[in-house]
Amino acid sequence: MANDDVLHILAQFELVITHVFTADNLASADGDRVLMQQHFEQEIQMAFAEWDIDIQFDKKIKHSSAQHHSFLGRLQRDVELQADDIKAVESPSDDLNTNDLMLNQMRSDVDQCCDMIPYETTLVSFRVL
């Protein structure tokens, strides 16, 4: 019976989205500015959820422009390692290469999701937790 292990990599990122709310946004929220902001947050969260990325609006960060909205996101990716895979690792540098590949893929997932949403985005930071 093989002994299976799972490698978990967790990353966090900060994202700034540029969006100017319009009269149409306010009208679709029945004139309620708080509800308008919540609709925007939910739209962003649902788009990232399709990529298995958790993202939340960060109310603590204030910008000089009302059109910039900060979000904090987290994503975790798991890779199942079989006993044979573990034995095949010949040096610690192989582990680093695997981690780097996974991190690059995670960053790519965030970038692709940013490209798919209809807003200008700036990825401020991306780091391993």
Side-chain angles (χ1 to χ4, degrees):
M1 191 190 266
N3 183 13
D4 296 335
D5 287 316
V6 177
L7 175 64
H8 305 283
I9 295 185
L10 182 64
Q12 179 175 325
F13 63 93
E14 181 184 345
L15 180 70
V16 175
I17 297 176
T18 303
H19 173 61
V20 178
F21 290 106
T22 64
D24 289 340
N25 298 130
L26 191 57
S28 69
D30 297 325
D32 185 338
R33 291 188 184 280
V34 173
L35 185 59
M36 177 180 65
Q37 178 73 29
Q38 288 173 345
H39 286 174
F40 173 67
E41 290 174 38
Q42 289 172 349
E43 177 186 356
I44 300 301
Q45 288 170 338
M46 289 180 353
F48 276 83
E50 291 179 21
W51 292 80
D52 295 324
I53 300 171
D54 179 43
I55 189 165
Q56 299 294 322
F57 181 68
D58 188 357
K59 295 179 174 101
K60 296 180 281 187
I61 298 178
K62 301 293 182 203
H63 295 281
S64 59
S65 172
Q67 65 187 12
H68 294 160
H69 311 276
S70 288
F71 288 82
L72 289 177
R74 287 182 176 214
L75 63 158
Q76 178 174 321
R77 298 296 185 254
D78 302 325
V79 175
E80 292 184 33
L81 300 173
Q82 304 295 324
D84 293 340
D85 295 333
I86 295 169
K87 289 176 188 173
V89 175
E90 296 179 8
S91 71
S93 64
D94 291 339
D95 287 337
L96 293 175
N97 289 337
T98 300
N99 289 345
D100 286 347
L101 288 173
M102 288 182 66
L103 285 174
N104 287 338
Q105 182 59 51
M106 293 165 74
R107 172 82 185 248
S108 176
D109 289 351
V110 172
D111 289 338
Q112 286 179 356
C113 190
C114 288
D115 290 343
M116 295 186 72
I117 62 174
Y119 306 106
E120 180 183 329
T121 61
T122 303
L123 189 58
V124 176
S125 67
F126 186 91
R127 65 184 180 96
V128 177
L129 294 178

